[in-house]
């Protein structure tokens, strides 16, 4: 078998630390998804404006720029496992923000937890890629790509899925208690993983140092393209995803939360299933083919563009979102694999940090524009104009890095 799923199963069988790491991130993804449901569910219940709903997504993105800088520096001084444990501890403490938000009916407190999670995600990303690079062989990197997609999707698949079911049936404080328990479970798994982790020796160039500062002028064409894939996805996808709750509010005002939360769940199902359609050998091909990547982004945007016309047909709307994220997460898998495979262990934390920051800049810029357009012209017009502009810019930039 040549699928990414089979590659992941093989790697999980071979590495006990990887099994524990996967369990840890499933736990924390459950908690993060529940937090997202609490934040957006309360904002919708409190009748937040479309611009504020879009800015909530922005607050969950921008601080990641600072986090990636911090994470890149910390990777030079601490082990990746230690950094991941630190981010989980801080994530547990950050649950104080939604508690304050619920108690005082405070929107700033809800936005604060979004920002804190963004910082911690920025710190953990370079640590996670460095951990994969040190602990897995080159042949096992497709398994790391698949696992990162599972981690990414399980946040909404498990957390949002459970949250959608429970949000209107149990108190918000109970959801936050489940969230806290998930962080504690993750901490336990990470500590156990650190005890059994073993470095897989990977040859480095003779002049490679422990941490290499990357300069654009010295990168190969393959390395440049690999760094651009995730920012390209952010430029096209972030405005659309940020506008999703506002689209639900605008097209289905009588039950915005009832539509928006299932749409978030459908989004995660697509995120999970998209990379699973790929074979391990096809990742290299996808990462090198600009037209294929741009086509996937265009399919994503077209599917989102159908949502305003499907407001009265929720199952078709859910299908459109699912299909959109099948396409977008093929791009995500290609971008993740491109970074892991194009840089050596001495470069990987710097490269992944740089890709994360560019991704954050792209998401922040286009989401900010979308928020402004949504406040003046509505969410639907913002979706069509901003994401389409992002797609055209991405096609132009990526075309310059073709072989």
């Amino acid at each position: 078998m040549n699928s990414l799923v089979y590659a992941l199963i093989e790697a999980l069988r071979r590495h006990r630390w990887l099994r524990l790491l996967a369990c840890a991130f499933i736990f924390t993804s459950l908690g993060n998804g529940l937090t997202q449901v609490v934040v957006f569910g309360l904002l919708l219940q409190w009748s937040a404006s479309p611009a504020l709903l879009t800015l909530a997504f922005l607050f969950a993105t921008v601080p990641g720029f600072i986090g990636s800088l911090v994470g890149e520096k910390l990777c030079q001084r601490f082990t990746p496992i230690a950094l991941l444990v630190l981010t989980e501890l801080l994530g547990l403490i950050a649950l104080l923000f939604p508690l304050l938000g619920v108690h005082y009916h405070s929107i700033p407190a809800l936005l604060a937890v979004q920002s804190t999670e963004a910082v911690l995600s920025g710190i953990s990303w370079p640590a996670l890629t460095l951990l994969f690079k040190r602990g897995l062989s080159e042949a096992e990197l497709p398994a790391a790509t698949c696992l990162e997609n599972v981690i990414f999707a399980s946040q909404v698949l498990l957390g949002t899925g459970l949250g959608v079911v429970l949000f209107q049936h149990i108190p918000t404080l109970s959801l936050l208690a489940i969230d806290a328990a998930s962080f504690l479970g993750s901490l336990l798994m990470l500590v156990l993983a650190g005890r059994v982790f073993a470095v897989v020796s990977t040859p480095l160039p003779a002049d490679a140092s422990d941490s290499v500062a990357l300069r654009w002028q010295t990168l190969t064409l393959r390395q440049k393209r690999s760094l651009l894939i995730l920012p390209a996805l952010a430029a096209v996808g972030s405005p659309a995803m940020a506008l999703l709750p506002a689209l639900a509010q605008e097209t289905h005002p009588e039950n915005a939360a009832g539509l928006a939360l299932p749409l978030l769940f459908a989004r995660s199902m697509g995120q999970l299933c998209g990379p699973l359609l790929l074979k391990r050998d096809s990742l290299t091909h996808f990462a090198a083919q600009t037209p294929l990547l741009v086509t996937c982004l265009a399919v994503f945007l077209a599917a989102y563009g159908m949502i305003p016309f499907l407001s009265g047909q929720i199952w078709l709307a859910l299908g459109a979102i699912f299909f959109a994220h099948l396409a977008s997460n093929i791009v995500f898998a290609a971008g993740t694999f491109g970074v892991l495979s194009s840089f050596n262990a001495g470069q990987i934390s710097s490269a992944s940090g740089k890709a994360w920051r560019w991704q954050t800049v792209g998401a922040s810029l286009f989401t900010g524009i979308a928020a402004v357009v949504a406040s003046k012209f509505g969410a639907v017009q913002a979706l069509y104009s901003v994401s389409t502009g992002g797609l055209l810019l991405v096609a132009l930039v990526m075309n310059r890095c073709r072989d």
Side-chain angles (χ1 to χ4, degrees):
M1 296 177 67
N2 195 30
S3 69
L4 283 183
V5 178
Y6 187 69
L8 176 58
I9 292 173
E10 283 185 327
L12 290 172
R13 287 175 176 171
R14 193 173 296 117
H15 302 286
R16 185 184 175 196
W17 68 266
L18 191 63
R19 296 194 296 272
L20 291 168
L21 182 73
C23 290
F25 274 95
I26 288 174
F27 273 122
T28 193
S29 294
L30 169 64
N32 288 336
L34 287 174
T35 303
Q36 186 181 55
V37 169
V38 170
V39 170
F40 281 101
L42 290 176
L43 288 176
L44 289 167
Q45 282 188 351
W46 297 347
S47 300
S49 67
L52 182 58
L53 290 170
T54 307
L55 286 174
F57 187 90
L58 193 62
F59 275 98
T61 306
V62 176
F65 187 97
I66 298 173
S68 69
L69 285 172
V70 174
E72 185 179 329
K73 297 297 182 183
L74 291 178
C75 280
Q76 301 174 23
R77 303 183 61 182
F78 302 99
T79 65
I81 289 286
L83 287 181
L84 293 175
V85 169
L86 174 64
T87 58
E88 292 304 297
L89 281 171
L90 295 176
L92 179 60
I93 295 172
L95 291 180
L96 291 173
F97 287 120
L99 284 174
L100 292 173
V102 173
H103 184 72
Y104 293 104
H105 203 281
S106 171
I107 289 178
L110 296 181
L111 298 180
V113 71
Q114 295 282 86
S115 297
T116 303
E117 287 187 356
V119 171
L120 298 179
S121 295
I123 294 174
S124 64
W125 178 259
L128 186 61
T129 54
L130 180 59
L131 186 66
F132 286 146
K133 197 70 175 182
R134 287 181 177 176
L136 299 175
S137 66
E138 290 295 320
E140 293 172 322
L141 290 182
T145 302
C146 187
L147 180 57
E148 287 189 357
N149 279 276
V150 171
I151 291 170
F152 182 67
S154 63
Q155 175 173 332
V156 187
L157 182 63
L158 297 178
T160 303
L162 183 62
V164 167
V165 174
L166 298 179
F167 181 72
Q168 297 182 0
H169 296 91
I170 68 172
T172 302
L173 294 181
S174 298
L175 285 177
L176 294 177
I178 298 173
D179 196 345
S182 72
F183 275 100
L184 292 173
S186 177
L187 281 168
L188 175 62
M189 294 296 104
L190 285 173
V191 170
L192 294 175
R195 291 179 179 178
V196 299
F197 177 75
V199 175
V200 174
S201 58
T202 53
L204 293 176
D207 59 347
S209 61
D210 290 338
S211 181
V212 179
L214 302 180
R215 297 183 181 278
W216 182 259
Q217 295 83 355
T218 62
L219 298 180
T220 66
L221 195 61
R222 178 190 177 193
Q223 289 174 326
K224 290 179 179 179
R225 184 172 51 242
S226 70
L227 289 177
L228 289 173
I229 294 174
L230 293 178
L233 175 60
V236 177
S238 293
M241 289 189 290
L243 288 166
L244 188 57
L247 285 171
Q249 187 184 62
E250 192 169 301
T251 59
H252 210 263
E254 65 276 9
N255 187 21
L259 176 60
L261 296 180
L263 287 177
L264 291 175
F265 181 73
R267 182 182 81 181
S268 184
M269 285 296 295
Q271 290 168 341
L272 177 65
C273 295
L276 305 186
L277 300 177
L278 295 172
K279 296 181 178 180
R280 70 173 82 184
D281 296 336
S282 67
L283 281 175
T284 303
H285 174 70
F286 265 87
Q289 293 295 317
T290 297
L292 285 175
L293 297 175
V294 173
T295 299
C296 286
L297 293 177
V299 169
F300 165 86
L301 184 54
Y304 260 81
M306 295 172 61
I307 298 302
F309 303 100
L310 301 175
S311 59
Q313 306 174 69
I314 187 170
W315 290 108
L316 291 179
L318 293 175
I321 293 298
F322 173 79
F323 191 72
H325 286 277
L326 282 179
S328 71
N329 265 59
I330 289 175
V331 181
F332 182 83
T336 302
F337 177 76
V339 172
L340 282 171
S341 62
S342 300
F343 298 90
N344 61 46
Q347 300 171 315
I348 192 64
S349 61
S350 180
S352 59
K354 191 180 294 290
W356 185 276
R357 289 191 293 278
W358 292 357
Q359 181 179 354
T360 300
V361 169
S364 304
L365 175 62
F366 284 90
T367 302
I369 296 172
V372 173
V373 176
S375 66
K376 293 185 177 181
F377 303 102
V380 175
Q381 288 77 6
L383 171 66
Y384 293 146
S385 59
V386 178
S387 286
T388 301
L391 179 62
L392 294 175
L393 180 61
V394 163
L396 178 63
V397 173
M398 293 293 291
N399 188 63
R400 296 181 64 86
C401 291
R402 293 179 63 180
D403 292 331

